[in-house]
Amino acid sequence: MLEHFKTSNWCKFFLFLAFSILSISQIQAQNDTLVLKNNDKLIGEIKEMSKGVLTVKTPYSDSDFKVKWKEVVKVSSNQTYLMSLSDGRRINSNLKSTSGEEGKVTLVQGNIELVTDIEDIVYIKAIKGSFISRVDASLSIGFNFAKTNNLTQFSILSNLGYTADKWGFTAGFNSVRSNQDDVDETKRTDANIGAKYFMKHDWFALANADFLSNDEQLLKLRSSTQGGIGKYFIHSNRVYFATGTGLAWTNENYTDPSLKTKNSLEAFLSLELNMFDYDDISLYSKFVVYPSLTESDRVRTDLNLNVKYDLPLDFFVQLGLTHNFDSQPIEGASTTDYVFQTTIGWELD
């Protein structure tokens, strides 16, 4: 009997301890506080702010709250975040509104204390140990069918990104395949992988590798390895605008086996525009021009343009345009190629 009594008491003790730990963890998980312009107060866990939208997890909702960052006037959180400011600085700090000054926050990194406007913070990411917490990804697909000649077209678009304290990694894959009666299959595939190392005053070093296989331009594979430097000229909660320049080493293999592999050295200049926080619509565009340094008068250009409309539950509809131009293609190949894509997809953000 005494032994049973002791066992029972120990069970009660551990249950009480487990309940206490759970209660404390729930309290800690919801100790971030936001005050909006309309004086509404939101308590939860700040996960990230990207493209002008703040994501907050609360214990009383199955879905995360999405709040426009420009509506926030006060914030308080003891978590440590990776933050980017509009002038290009990247800071690891907690978030505390400045006492007596609405619309301002005090950031502390090491022994340095910085007071800045809330609107000057353009990116926030909670720093956690897990790899997945720093990953962004999206996948969208499209399918078209026409009775005439049994035309079918399938397309896929995917993107992957990872953000660390001082650098970022991106990758993408885009493929279009068309089939119809009495016509050979048409294929177009492009992929890219790249990294940026962020420096002071919105400058960054960049390294990219682009790949293209394109029946229209008789390309079995074009690979281009690039290195250079770039700068953000606009870095706000609604628009990113950056440019980059450097050198590219390009290798081209053709679908005709009788044609020799071609290598060339090119310069490149890129313009990149990312517009977001326009209700549920966002726009991304990148234009790159490649003047050849080893082939006289040859110029290539690549253009990507995507317009996305956000749907509930992180789904979206996307309209895309990809355009390639080569002033000196091989004999029998087209100087230009382009493809329009309409896809529906989902993103991990």
Side-chain angles (χ1 to χ4, degrees):
M1 177 70 76
L2 181 61
E3 193 68 29
H4 174 74
F5 173 77
K6 290 181 179 179
T7 303
S8 178
N9 281 347
W10 276 111
C11 289
K12 290 179 180 179
F13 172 75
F14 282 117
L15 286 173
F16 172 77
L17 183 62
F19 178 78
S20 299
I21 293 172
L22 179 61
S23 299
I24 292 171
S25 65
Q26 287 178 334
I27 291 171
Q28 291 177 337
Q30 52 181 298
N31 62 357
D32 302 342
T33 304
L34 300 169
V35 178
L36 308 183
K37 287 181 179 179
N38 61 2
N39 291 322
D40 283 350
K41 181 181 286 187
L42 184 62
I43 298 175
E45 180 186 0
I46 296 174
K47 297 175 67 176
E48 74 167 334
M49 187 275 288
S50 178
K51 300 178 181 179
V53 177
L54 182 71
T55 303
V56 182
K57 180 181 180 181
T58 63
Y60 43 82
S61 174
D62 292 335
S63 301
D64 294 338
F65 278 85
K66 304 285 188 179
V67 180
K68 289 189 175 182
W69 182 243
K70 64 184 179 182
E71 298 297 321
V72 177
V73 294
K74 291 183 179 180
V75 60
S76 177
S77 175
N78 291 319
Q79 292 192 82
T80 301
Y81 300 93
L82 167 63
M83 288 175 277
S84 296
L85 306 185
S86 58
D87 61 4
R89 283 176 290 180
R90 297 171 69 82
I91 295 175
N92 289 342
S93 172
N94 58 19
L95 272 170
K96 296 284 186 180
S97 287
T98 306
S99 179
E101 296 188 65
E102 188 174 283
K104 290 185 177 293
V105 292
T106 300
L107 307 178
V108 180
Q109 180 164 275
N111 297 322
I112 301 175
E113 186 173 287
L114 170 67
V115 177
T116 187
D117 293 332
I118 286 181
E119 64 184 20
D120 286 338
I121 301 175
V122 299
Y123 178 79
I124 299 172
K125 187 80 169 181
I127 298 177
K128 298 181 180 179
S130 65
F131 174 84
I132 197 68
S133 66
R134 293 173 178 257
V135 172
D136 299 313
S138 67
L139 174 68
S140 61
I141 59 175
F143 181 76
N144 298 312
F145 174 78
K147 184 178 179 181
T148 304
N149 296 327
N150 290 319
L151 172 64
T152 60
Q153 184 182 68
F154 176 78
S155 59
I156 182 171
L157 280 164
S158 61
N159 292 283
L160 177 67
Y162 179 83
T163 303
D165 294 354
K166 292 292 185 180
W167 60 275
F169 161 86
T170 59
F173 178 82
N174 180 13
S175 180
V176 179
R177 290 175 176 265
S178 297
N179 285 280
Q180 58 181 319
D181 293 344
D182 302 322
V183 177
D184 292 338
E185 181 185 31
T186 302
K187 302 183 295 293
R188 186 189 190 283
T189 302
D190 64 82
N192 62 81
I193 185 171
K196 292 179 180 178
Y197 181 79
F198 302 107
M199 300 181 289
K200 294 182 179 180
H201 308 300
D202 264 347
W203 287 92
F204 56 87
L206 63 90
N208 296 317
D210 294 334
F211 308 92
L212 174 65
S213 176
N214 187 348
D215 289 347
E216 181 70 15
Q217 293 180 306
L218 304 183
L219 284 169
K220 183 177 181 180
L221 178 65
R222 172 192 287 154
S223 58
S224 179
T225 305
Q226 307 152 19
I229 193 167
K231 180 177 174 58
Y232 287 101
F233 288 101
I234 301 176
H235 201 171
S236 73
N237 284 312
R238 304 193 79 186
V239 178
Y240 291 176
F241 177 67
T243 185
T245 187
L247 296 175
W249 179 256
T250 301
N251 174 274
E252 293 170 307
N253 289 286
Y254 303 102
T255 54
D256 186 346
S258 65
L259 297 173
K260 294 182 179 181
T261 298
K262 182 187 295 185
N263 295 304
S264 61
L265 178 64
E266 301 168 311
F268 74 86
L269 175 66
S270 66
L271 298 174
E272 188 173 4
L273 176 66
N274 196 349
M275 302 175 65
F276 39 85
D277 193 23
Y278 292 86
D279 294 323
D280 293 321
I281 298 175
S282 59
L283 179 147
Y284 174 81
S285 179
K286 184 176 182 180
F287 176 75
V288 188
V289 57
Y290 299 91
S292 180
L293 301 178
T294 55
E295 296 180 82
S296 178
D297 298 325
R298 186 185 184 190
V299 177
R300 297 191 302 108
T301 63
D302 292 335
L303 171 66
N304 290 283
L305 176 64
N306 293 304
V307 180
K308 187 176 71 172
Y309 182 79
D310 292 329
L311 301 173
L313 303 176
D314 291 326
F315 285 92
F316 61 87
V317 175
Q318 184 168 270
L319 176 65
L321 166 65
T322 303
H323 185 282
N324 305 104
F325 169 79
D326 187 345
S327 65
Q328 294 182 9
I330 62 168
E331 185 177 351
S334 174
T335 57
T336 61
D337 181 51
Y338 57 88
V339 58
F340 287 95
Q341 293 171 277
T342 302
T343 58
I344 184 169
W346 181 84
E347 60 184 340
L348 169 67
D349 194 1

